[in-house]
Amino acid sequence: MWQETLSQLSEAESPLSKSLPKIYSIPIAAEALAHYSRELQIAEPAEALCRLTQAIACSPSWAEMPPSVLIARPTPEPVLAVLGCFDEVAKFRIWTQLQSLNRDLARMRYVSYGQAELDCQRLAYQLIDRFGHEELKRFHFTGIPRGGLIVLGMLAYCLGLTSEQLQPPKSPDVPWVVVDDCVYTGSRFYGFVQSHSQQKMIFAHLYSHPELRSRIITCEPHVLACVSAHDVYDYAPEELGDDYQAWQKHSLFNLSGFRYWVGKTDHVCFSWNEPDRFFWNSITEKIEGSWLLLPKDVCLKNQFKGASKLLNVQIQPGATGSLKPAAQVVFGQYGEQIVIGNLETQQSFGLTDLAADIWLAIVEHGNLEEVITVLLKIYDINETTLRSDVDIFIDQLYAEGLLIKLDDR
């Protein structure tokens, strides 16, 4: 009985594997999860993992994927996994984003409304230091939709701007301060410049990279200054080494529209917006959208940008007792079966019927006698036969490295 089951499970590694449910998983680095927790002020790592999973589940990109299950395993070490039957394109999307997840979490920078107010004060002081308070009184100000309008509102209070200063200038010689929240490539500012090419401008924002600001000044003769409250860091040179220039050229060519500069910077998120992130899909040869990282309750935009279909999210329960899943195991339910994934080998095993019930009983109770008691209530079977079959199955799970028996240590 159980030998037939394991033979059936081994098909997950056959050429027909794309038609069978499989788990793709990644351990979440403690440092990355701790950084994510600090940024969002979440006390417990387990809660942070669950909230991250809910955020990812709301990503619009799931609309282009086959039916999927998102699994969070808080203990013994945090793991995020995706379960489903995937073709090569879907597999690439999942693996690419799983493999970059720890890096993305470590580079995320969250700006609350309170922090944004402080940043606007800093930006206001920089403008005053650069141009003088009296000179700023003749400047006009505008914001780039949509985040720039929020920053403009705060900056207007910091500088004491009049309603007239928030109107477009009547002369091209009157400096126009264009405000934004975070600038990664300058594409939105470029679009604004093209519509007002003769107007003297100052580009003021909260976050950007120095090379981007320098590039804008070089390319745009009517831009008098490019001022940022804070710098962002570019990880691309150290990450790509000698391939950096080629990567930058390739990215600028494939991104739609004009970009002054491109890098791999901090992922700066705001209470009102999580900027879109992208990755290159070498199978579809297209740039595609990445998963969301911010839960809806800390990002206004994500409250309305959710996926068109509700993704199944499962939180793997913790195990107690002498019998429990091994540390390298993550599992979830897909349809009528339980699918077990091995983090070390990336193999997946599917359990149905009695085998699935035995596994769930082991996870819940962790004790052989309680497992037998539970199963006898479900199945009309002789206890001696059941006990023998359960023992054999447990030994096989143990041999596959899917189960540990603490009393054997």
Side-chain angles (χ1 to χ4, degrees), residues 2-16:
W2 303 117
Q3 184 60 43
E4 181 181 355
T5 301
L6 287 181
S7 175
Q8 192 176 26
L9 296 179
S10 67
E11 293 178 5
E13 297 305 312
S14 74
L16 300 176

Side-chain angles (χ1 to χ4, degrees), residues 32-196:
L33 190 59
H35 175 81
Y36 182 81
S37 301
R38 287 192 301 271
E39 290 294 309
L40 298 184
Q41 297 184 349
I42 302 173
E44 298 296 329
E47 181 187 355
L49 178 64
C50 292
R51 296 190 67 189
L52 170 64
T53 305
Q54 293 291 345
I56 292 174
C58 293
S59 304
S61 57
W62 293 110
E64 301 178 9
M65 293 285 290
S68 309
V69 176
L70 201 57
I71 304 169
R73 190 196 78 173
T75 60
E77 300 295 337
V79 172
L80 186 81
V82 184
L83 166 61
C85 299
F86 304 117
D87 57 20
E88 293 305 313
V89 172
K91 290 178 186 177
F92 184 89
R93 288 172 178 150
I94 291 169
W95 265 125
T96 299
Q97 295 183 87
L98 282 176
Q99 291 174 335
S100 67
L101 186 57
N102 283 308
R103 179 199 67 196
D104 295 338
L105 292 177
R107 296 178 184 176
M108 195 194 80
R109 191 169 177 176
Y110 180 66
V111 181
S112 66
Y113 282 109
Q115 181 60 52
E117 289 182 11
L118 296 175
D119 293 343
C120 284
Q121 292 177 33
R122 181 186 177 95
L123 182 60
Y125 291 141
Q126 290 185 352
L127 290 171
I128 293 172
D129 289 343
R130 182 73 177 268
F131 299 101
H133 195 275
E134 290 300 316
E135 182 70 6
L136 285 174
K137 290 181 179 179
R138 74 179 189 91
F139 289 10
H140 285 236
F141 291 73
T142 190
I144 295 180
R146 292 168 291 186
L149 296 174
I150 296 174
V151 176
L152 175 61
M154 297 183 188
L155 189 63
Y157 284 107
C158 295
L159 292 173
L161 303 181
T162 65
S163 58
E164 182 181 353
Q165 286 182 277
L166 299 177
Q167 302 299 318
K170 297 179 180 179
S171 167
D173 294 326
V174 175
W176 204 4
V177 182
V178 182
V179 178
D180 206 352
D181 49 12
C182 186
V183 185
Y184 290 108
T185 65
S187 61
R188 294 188 300 176
F189 179 68
Y190 176 78
F192 187 89
V193 169
Q194 298 310 299
S195 301
H196 308 84

Side-chain angles (χ1 to χ4, degrees), residues 35 38 135 139 178 188 213 220 223 247 262 294 336 370 391 405:
H35 175 81
R38 287 192 301 271
E135 182 70 6
F139 289 10
V178 182
R188 294 188 300 176
R213 300 196 296 270
E220 305 296 348
V223 175
W247 170 84
V262 66
L294 285 188
E336 298 299 320
E370 291 188 50
D391 285 340
K405 297 188 285 187

Side-chain angles (χ1 to χ4, degrees), residues 371-390:
V371 169
I372 296 297
T373 299
V374 169
L375 294 175
L376 284 173
K377 293 178 181 179
I378 301 174
Y379 293 95
D380 183 14
I381 187 173
N382 177 273
E383 180 177 347
T384 301
T385 302
L386 176 64
R387 188 177 294 274
S388 175
D389 287 341
V390 170

Side-chain angles (χ1 to χ4, degrees), residues 271-288:
S271 293
W272 56 85
N273 175 39
E274 177 180 355
D276 295 331
R277 296 176 299 115
F278 303 93
F279 67 95
W280 174 252
N281 190 323
S282 59
I283 298 180
T284 62
E285 296 188 338
K286 294 180 180 179
I287 291 177
E288 301 185 3

